Amino acid sequence: MDRFFDANNPLMRFLSWLVDLVIINVLTIVCAIPIVTAGASFTAMNYVLLHKARDNETYIGKMFFHSFRDNLKQGILCGLIYLVIGLIAGVDLYVLHIFDMKATTALMIILSVVSCFIFVTAVYVFGLLARYENTVSGTFRNAIQLTIAHLPLTLVMIVIWLAWLFVLWYFPKTTVLLFLLFGFSLPGFLCALLYDPIFRKMEETE
C-alpha cells in the first residue's frame, strides 16, 4: 500500500501530471476571460508547459503569473492580432458557405488550410514569447520561419489540435467538462513536447 502512494510510483506521477494540467488549464481560461488578455494567458501557459516538458521543477501558480505579468503587453498585442485574423477568416468562411457553389467550396478548402497554418504559427508565437525576449514583429517572423522550416512537426501539431477538437465535438455530453479540465493544456503540452527540441537546438546554437 505504501508503494501505491509513493510519489515516485508511475501511477501517482501520472495522476500528478493530470492534476497539473487541470490547474494550468483553469488558470489559462480564467486569465483569458477578458479576451484581450488571452494572448498573455496562452504565453503563461506555454511557459509552464515548457518547464514541464523539460521535466523541471514547477511551481505552477507562481510561474504562471510571473510569465503573465512579464509578457502582458506583448501577449495582449499578439492575442489581438490573432483575434482579428480569426474574425476575418470566420466571416470569410461564413460568407462563402452562404453562396454554397463549387467555386466557393474550393475557396473554403483553401481558406481552411491557410487558417490551420496561421493558427499553428500561434503555437510557435506564444512558445517563443514565453521563452525568449524579442519584439512582436521578430517573434512573428521567427514563428513563421519555424512553421515552414519544421513542416512535418507543424503538420503533427495541426493534427493534434484537430483531433482534440474532434474529441470535444464527438462527445458533446462531456465537451464542457473536458474543455474546463484539459481544453488548452493537454494539446498545448503535446505541442510543447514537439517544439521544445527545436528550442533546445536554437539555444545550443546561440
Side-chain angles (χ1 to χ4, degrees), residues 71-124:
N71 299 289
L72 185 59
K73 291 183 179 179
Q74 288 189 322
I76 287 176
L77 183 55
C78 292
L80 290 177
I81 290 173
Y82 279 107
L83 177 62
V84 171
I85 293 174
L87 289 174
I88 293 173
V91 170
D92 287 344
L93 286 171
Y94 178 74
V95 172
L96 291 172
H97 176 70
I98 291 176
F99 287 100
D100 194 22
M101 298 167 57
K102 288 185 178 180
T104 57
T105 300
L107 287 174
M108 286 181 66
I109 294 174
I110 294 173
L111 182 58
S112 297
V113 172
V114 172
S115 297
C116 285
F117 274 92
I118 292 176
F119 168 78
V120 84
T121 62
V123 176
Y124 287 112

Side-chain angles (χ1 to χ4, degrees), residues 1-14 16:
M1 185 62 70
D2 290 338
R3 288 185 178 180
F4 179 79
F5 291 103
D6 186 353
N8 293 319
N9 182 299
L11 178 59
M12 293 302 295
R13 286 173 62 86
F14 177 72
S16 176

